[in-house]
Amino acid sequence: VGCDRSKNLVDICGEKNFQAFVCDALSVPIRSGSCDACISIAVIHHFSTAERRLATIRELARLLRPGGTALIYVWAMEQEYKNQKSKYLKEKNGSKDTEEEINTGTAQRPLSDQMPDSSSQDSACSDRLLYSKDKGCDAKPVADSRLPVHTNRTSFHSQDLLVPWHLKGGTKKKGESVDTVLFPAGSKESQEFSAVFHRYYHVFREGELEAVCRSLDCVRVQKSYYDQGNWCVILEKL
């Protein structure tokens, strides 16, 4: 049984005859102690406070029966580990097969959720001027955010950041808040605005995820390891 915050992704699961439902990771509508195993891939790094990240792991543990296990993956601050670059860094000049396209209504994502748009448009994304367009007024510069905007396919310089996701093949839906990017003058892209979403990430340092898990009395850490730019733990419910 799967669950996700995104109704569109859950709908895709339904089309493939998988069992899935929409929910919040902080409050999963499943009876306590009813799961043999739980998997949380690329979810917890989207929560913006240490308290919420801890609460999410506690909720995951609540679902497990005694002796049940949970696997957690989060994005790592260390994208180069033991002198080896992660797949994320190696695919800086990735092909179309590895590019993320956010389409209206549907989204096809790799398991790790670590594949923002890797086109050449991203290389200077953090240096561009962001604009917002309010109804009935001209585009105005947006004040600098307190969070840095990450340049895709590069190493991380901050644990808390925004990762740009370019909207492709669709138009903005009613009620969605989207920033637009002003491309360099004279470029092909400058002739039209391209919608870009900024998704929040907290990338974990070595030992951080394990330490959070060890702060809970109801679980023990069976294993902690690094896998292709992710920090991972396997927990057992006590």
Side-chain angles (χ1 to χ4, degrees):
V1 177
C3 57
D4 198 281
R5 179 78 180 214
S6 168
K7 180 180 182 301
N8 289 337
L9 292 178
V10 170
D11 287 344
I12 292 173
C13 292
E15 292 167 3
K16 297 178 181 293
N17 296 319
F18 295 131
Q19 298 183 67
F21 58 90
V22 177
C23 83
D24 189 317
L26 289 169
S27 182
V28 181
I30 294 179
R31 187 173 65 250
S32 297
S34 60
C35 297
D36 295 310
C38 293
I39 300 175
S40 174
I41 305 291
V43 174
I44 296 173
H45 56 219
H46 287 301
F47 286 92
S48 61
T49 66
E51 291 78 11
R52 287 185 177 184
R53 293 189 287 271
L54 175 60
T56 307
I57 298 173
R58 183 182 291 111
E59 178 70 354
L60 198 64
R62 180 188 66 81
L63 303 174
L64 293 172
R65 63 165 177 77
T69 55
L71 172 65
I72 301 173
Y73 266 60
V74 295
W75 215 352
M77 177 87 170
E78 301 85 356
Q79 288 298 304
E80 189 167 344
Y81 187 66
K82 294 184 177 179
N83 297 320
Q84 294 289 324
K85 288 185 177 180
S86 69
K87 186 177 180 181
Y88 174 72
L89 293 183
K90 288 179 180 178
E91 293 183 350
K92 184 173 183 179
N93 298 315
S95 66
K96 290 182 179 180
D97 292 336
T98 62
E99 289 181 4
E100 171 65 20
E101 296 190 2
I102 303 178
N103 297 303
T104 303
T106 63
Q108 299 290 337
R109 295 183 184 173
L111 177 65
S112 64
D113 193 22
Q114 308 301 335
M115 299 293 178
D117 177 31
S118 57
S119 69
S120 60
Q121 297 175 7
D122 286 325
S123 60
C125 191
S126 61
D127 299 324
R128 295 184 187 139
L129 183 61
L130 297 178
Y131 279 78
S132 65
K133 297 193 76 173
D134 296 323
K135 186 175 181 180
C137 66
D138 296 329
K140 298 178 180 179
V142 175
D144 288 341
S145 170
R146 289 176 293 176
L147 291 174
V149 177
H150 176 61
T151 300
N152 287 327
R153 306 292 171 180
T154 65
S155 298
F156 296 115
H157 302 291
S158 172
Q159 278 195 271
D160 297 280
L161 43 82
L162 300 175
V163 176
W165 292 66
H166 290 267
L167 184 68
K168 295 183 178 182
T171 57
K172 189 179 78 169
K173 290 184 178 181
K174 183 178 180 181
E176 286 182 339
S177 175
V178 182
D179 291 330
T180 54
V181 176
L182 187 61
F183 291 89
S187 67
K188 178 181 177 181
E189 293 86 358
S190 68
Q191 300 175 13
E192 60 179 326
F193 282 115
S194 174
V196 60
F197 291 90
H198 286 115
R199 302 185 69 196
Y200 170 83
Y201 284 79
H202 172 84
V203 290
F204 282 67
R205 291 186 182 275
E206 183 174 7
E208 182 180 355
L209 176 61
E210 184 177 355
V212 174
C213 294
R214 290 190 186 281
S215 70
L216 296 175
D217 295 332
C218 58
V219 296
R220 74 175 183 90
V221 176
Q222 280 190 343
K223 186 178 181 181
S224 177
Y225 59 98
Y226 180 89
D227 181 23
Q228 284 296 337
N230 298 279
W231 287 115
C232 323
V233 296
I234 298 176
L235 303 176
E236 180 184 1
K237 178 71 171 289
L238 300 176

